[in-house]
Amino acid sequence: MTSFFENLISTFPAFMEAAWMTLRLTGVSLVLALVIGLIFALMKVTGVRWLGIVYNGYVGIIRGTPLIVQIMWLYFGITQIVVLSAFWAGTIALAIHSGAYIAEIFRGCIQSVDKGQMEAAESLGMKRALAMRRVILPQALKRAIPPLGNQFIIGLKDSSLVAFIGITEIFSLSMDNAAVTFKQLEFYSIAGLYYLAMVAIVTFVLSRVENRMDTAK
Amino acid sequence: MIKVEKLHKYFGDLHVLKGVDLEVAPQEVVVMIGASGSGKSTLLRCLNFLEMKNQGRILIDGKEVDPATTPLNEVREHVGMVFQHFNLFPHMTVLENVIEAPVHVKKVPKAEAIKRGKELLEKVGLGDKGDVYPEKLSGGQKQRVAIARALAMEPSVMLFDEPTSALDPELVGEVLEVMKGLAADGMTMVVVTHEMGFAREVADRVVFLDNGMIAEQGDPETFFQNPQHPKAKQFLSRVL
Ligand SMILES: Nc1ncnc2c1ncn2[C@@H]1O[C@H](COP(=O)(O)OP(=O)(O)O)[C@@H](O)[C@H]1O
Ligand SMILES: [Mg+2]
C-alpha cells in the first residue's frame, strides 16, 4: 500500500499532463460530435429518403464496429492521404464515433416532441426550418441534456482507446509505467482513479446544468 | 373566402373524404358537426394543408391553392387554426407564444408585436398572464391563449377543431364566449364542435358530415328543428 501512494505521488505531475490530454481529446471530440450529431439528426428528420439512407449507413456502421477498429481505420487510413497528427486522428475518430450516438439522442428527442407543436407552428405560417429552430429544437435539446451527459461520460472513458495510436493520455501513461515497473495492478488502478475523479467532476457539472434548466426553463 | 370542390382524401386505402363541396362566405360562421370518424378534422386540416387532398380543388381568397406550386406557409398565414389540445409552445411565455409568428414570420417590429399581443391577450381576458408559462394555465386559459396566438397573424379565416373537447365542463363557457366575440366582430370561422348550444346561437350555417360526405346543411334553426337526413336525425337525437 505504501508503494501505491508513493507511485501515485511520484507520477502525479506526469499524470496531470496526461489528464490534460485526456480532457482535450474528450472536449474537442465531443464538441465536434455535437455538431456532427445535430447535422445528422436534422438530416434524418427531414424525411428526405436519401438523407435517411446516409444517416442509417453512418449510424449503422459506427454502432456495428468497435471503437478501436474505427480509431485504427482512421489513423492508418486517413494518414495515408493527409498528414494528420495522432492527436487529430484520435480526436476525429472519437468525434465520428460519439457523433453517431449523439445523432441518435438528438433524433430521438426531436421525434419525441409532440407533433402538434410542428402543426401549430406551421399553421401560424412558419416554414419547417423556422419551426424546427424556434419551436422543436429548444424543446428537444432540453430533453437531450440528460442522455447527452451520459454520452459525454462514455466519451471521456472511451478516449482511453487512443492510447493505441501513441497519444500520451492517462491510459497510455499507465501502460508505460506498468510495463517499466511490472506493477500492473497499481498503475491501472491509478488510471482508474484519475478517470473516476474526472467523471465525478463532469457528473457534478452536468447535474448543475440540469438543475439550471429545470428552474430557468 | 374558402371554396372546396369535390374534395377527396384517402389515408392509404381508407377513403375519408368522398367528394366534399363547401363554400364559406366572408364573415360567415360555419359549424361542422358529425359523428366521430366522419372526417371533420380531416376536412379542416385539408383547409390549411396540414393534410394534403388527393383530388379536388381548394380555393382560399378566390385563388386555387396547388401545394406543388404555392408556398403553403404563405397560405397558412391567412388561415388561423385552433386545436383541440391547444398546442401552445411550452418553452415560451404566453406573450412570447402570441408574438412568435408576427415577429418571425411577418417581421413585425418586436415592440409593435408586443403591444398588439398584449391587446389580444386583453381581448381574450388574459391581460395579466403575459409573462406566465403555459403549464401554469388552466385548459380554458390555454385555449384562449391559442386563439390569441392565431389572431395575432390577422388571419382572414379561423378554423377551430373541437376547441372545447379537451376542457373540463366548467371551462367550456369562457372559450365559447371568446369565440362568440370573434363571430360578433365579423371573423370568418369554421368550427368543428359538439357544443350544440353554440351552433344554434352563433352559426350562420350548420354542416352535417357523415362518412366523409356532407349529408345535410342549412341554417341552424331549420336544421335543429327539422333535420331531413336519417343520419342527421339519429345524430341529433343522441347529442341533444
Ligand atoms: N393520419 C391518419 N392516418 C390514417 N387514418 C386517419 C388519419 N387521420 C384520420 N384518419 C381516419 O380518418 C377518419 C376520419 O378521421 P377524422 O377526420 O379525425 O374524423 P373526425 O374528426 O370527424 O372524428 C377516421 O376513420 C380516422 O381513423
Ligand atoms: Mg376530429
Side-chain angles (χ1 to χ4, degrees):
Chain A
M1 233 12 206
T2 44
S3 112
F4 177 82
F5 286 111
E6 275 166 19
N7 284 329
L8 183 63
I9 292 163
S10 68
T11 57
F12 182 73
F15 265 105
M16 283 315 280
E17 214 163 292
W20 173 232
M21 174 55 85
T22 292
L23 263 184
R24 266 166 37 214
L25 277 166
T26 308
V28 177
S29 66
L30 285 178
V31 169
L32 292 176
L34 283 170
V35 175
I36 295 172
L38 185 58
I39 291 172
F40 272 87
L42 289 173
M43 280 166 49
K44 176 76 175 177
V45 299
T46 56
V48 178
R49 214 175 107 87
W50 72 269
L51 291 177
I53 293 173
V54 171
Y55 178 96
N56 292 345
Y58 168 55
V59 172
I61 289 170
I62 296 302
R63 291 213 298 197
T65 56
L67 173 56
I68 189 67
V69 171
Q70 294 160 16
I71 291 171
M72 293 302 174
W73 184 79
L74 206 92
Y75 183 60
F76 292 107
I78 295 284
T79 47
Q80 290 192 346
I81 311 164
V82 287
V83 184
L84 211 59
S85 66
F87 174 82
W88 280 106
T91 301
I92 292 171
L94 292 172
I96 292 175
H97 181 79
S98 298
Y101 289 91
I102 290 178
E104 277 288 274
I105 291 172
F106 281 148
R107 180 193 59 77
C109 290
I110 290 171
Q111 289 176 342
S112 78
V113 175
D114 178 43
K115 76 181 191 0
Q117 292 286 307
M118 180 55 93
E119 292 186 348
E122 288 199 287
S123 78
L124 289 165
M126 297 171 85
K127 291 185 184 164
R128 285 190 80 87
L130 179 67
M132 184 54 78
R133 185 162 61 79
R134 298 279 317 167
V135 175
I136 308 299
L137 277 184
Q139 297 181 58
L141 295 187
K142 190 177 163 194
R143 287 178 204 186
I145 288 172
L148 279 180
N150 201 33
Q151 193 59 42
F152 288 177
I153 289 168
I154 294 172
L156 173 66
K157 294 187 293 181
D158 277 355
S159 71
S160 58
L161 285 173
V162 302
F164 297 104
I165 56 172
I167 299 175
T168 307
E169 43 67 73
I170 293 175
F171 187 68
S172 66
L173 186 63
S174 57
M175 272 202 303
D176 293 347
N177 276 296
V180 175
T181 60
F182 295 103
K183 293 182 171 161
Q184 285 84 354
L185 198 58
E186 284 187 23
F187 276 102
Y188 290 124
S189 302
I190 288 175
L193 279 180
Y194 280 99
Y195 283 111
L196 209 54
M198 291 169 87
V199 169
I201 294 169
V202 173
T203 305
F204 175 74
V205 172
L206 287 169
S207 72
R208 293 290 291 262
V209 172
E210 273 179 50
N211 282 338
R212 260 267 177 75
M213 296 299 288
D214 275 349
T215 49
K217 277 271 165 189
Chain B
M1 178 70 34
I2 291 184
K3 194 168 181 196
V4 174
E5 290 174 0
K6 304 214 166 34
L7 189 72
H8 288 264
K9 172 69 187 172
Y10 297 81
F11 288 114
D13 290 336
L14 189 65
H15 197 177
V16 177
L17 297 179
K18 303 172 180 169
V20 173
D21 293 290
L22 180 70
E23 196 162 347
V24 182
Q27 311 213 326
E28 192 180 16
V29 177
V30 173
V31 167
M32 205 148 60
I33 61 176
S36 172
S38 57
K40 307 179 296 294
S41 296
T42 304
L43 177 54
L44 216 55
R45 290 161 60 83
C46 283
L47 295 182
N48 74 348
F49 303 91
L50 289 176
E51 299 291 353
M52 295 303 162
K53 66 181 163 74
N54 294 103
Q55 287 167 44
R57 290 171 15 115
I58 298 173
L59 293 82
I60 309 276
D61 289 333
K63 280 181 299 235
E64 174 164 10
V65 179
D66 175 4
T69 55
T70 320
L72 293 178
N73 57 299
E74 288 171 21
V75 177
R76 294 190 187 113
E77 285 183 41
H78 306 286
V79 184
M81 177 117 180
V82 173
F83 301 87
Q84 183 176 353
H85 295 289
F86 331 124
N87 298 346
L88 293 179
F89 306 137
H91 59 300
M92 299 180 192
T93 65
V94 163
L95 184 61
E96 285 167 351
N97 265 275
V98 175
I99 67 172
E100 176 64 20
V103 170
H104 289 96
V105 177
K106 273 194 171 173
K107 309 290 182 198
V108 175
K110 196 158 177 188
E112 199 182 315
I114 289 175
K115 182 166 166 284
R116 175 88 183 111
K118 284 180 174 167
E119 286 168 13
L120 283 167
L121 287 175
E122 208 66 59
K123 184 172 165 167
V124 299
L126 294 170
D128 57 337
K129 297 288 186 201
D131 297 328
V132 167
Y133 283 91
E135 64 179 358
K136 295 271 188 284
L137 301 180
S138 72
Q141 291 172 327
K142 283 182 189 165
Q143 196 59 297
R144 286 186 280 150
V145 173
I147 293 172
R149 179 177 69 175
L151 290 175
M153 287 302 281
E154 301 179 322
S156 42
V157 52
M158 288 276 285
L159 312 175
F160 295 83
D161 191 1
E162 301 200 29
T164 59
S165 293
L167 301 179
D168 292 335
E170 75 271 20
L171 302 177
V172 168
E174 63 191 56
V175 172
L176 293 181
E177 279 311 311
V178 169
M179 292 169 63
K180 281 178 201 168
L182 270 185
D185 289 348
M187 176 58 78
T188 310
M189 296 162 63
V190 182
V191 183
V192 173
T193 186
H194 296 295
E195 296 294 329
M196 295 303 146
F198 177 84
R200 267 180 212 252
E201 192 179 336
V202 183
D204 297 307
R205 183 152 48 107
V206 175
V207 170
F208 176 73
L209 215 61
D210 176 57
N211 195 17
M213 284 177 289
I214 294 182
E216 185 169 348
Q217 58 180 312
D219 67 276
E221 198 66 21
T222 321
F223 177 78
F224 286 114
Q225 295 293 329
N226 191 13
Q228 300 299 313
H229 194 278
K231 285 288 187 55
K233 286 182 190 168
Q234 197 186 350
F235 178 79
L236 286 179
S237 71
R238 265 189 292 123
V239 297
L240 287 181

